[in-house]
Amino acid sequence: MTQQSVQNEPRVKKVEISNKVIGKIQEDKIVFYVGERYIGSMSMSATAEKDKYKFEEGFGIEDNKIYQKQVDGVEDDQYVEGCDMGWC
C-alpha cells in the first residue's frame, strides 16, 4: 500500500452514544434503539459473554459504553442537534 492510498482512506472514529440509547425488554433480551433505529440487543439468558451482545454493523460495546463507528468529518443525520425539538 502506498503512502498516498493510506492518506485517501477515510478515518473511522468511535463515538460514544450511550446516553442516546434506549433499551426495551422483549422476551429474554434487551433490545437497543437510538430513536426508532434498532442498533442491537443483549441476551439475558446467554451463558457465554461472546453470545451476550449482538449489534448492527457500525455499533458496539466496550467498557460498558455503547459506541458508533463514524467516518471522521461526516456526521450521522440521525444525531443532529435539536432533533428532540421536533424540527427534523
Side-chain angles (χ1 to χ4, degrees), residues 8-59:
N8 291 337
E9 291 180 18
R11 291 180 33 196
V12 176
K13 63 182 180 178
K14 288 190 317 184
V15 177
E16 183 188 351
I17 60 167
S18 301
N19 62 344
K20 298 177 181 179
V21 176
I22 296 170
K24 296 181 181 180
I25 297 174
Q26 294 181 356
E27 298 177 18
D28 70 337
K29 61 185 172 185
I30 299 173
V31 180
F32 300 118
Y33 296 90
V34 175
E36 294 183 20
R37 181 180 179 182
Y38 167 82
I39 63 164
S41 64
M42 179 184 81
S43 172
M44 293 188 284
S45 62
T47 55
E49 189 68 25
K50 67 179 180 74
D51 297 329
K52 192 171 191 173
Y53 297 99
K54 293 182 180 164
F55 282 96
E56 293 292 294
E57 187 171 337
F59 294 90

Side-chain angles (χ1 to χ4, degrees), residues 2 24 44 56 72 78 85:
T2 66
K24 296 181 181 180
M44 293 188 284
E56 293 292 294
D72 199 17
Q78 182 154 353
M85 296 179 198

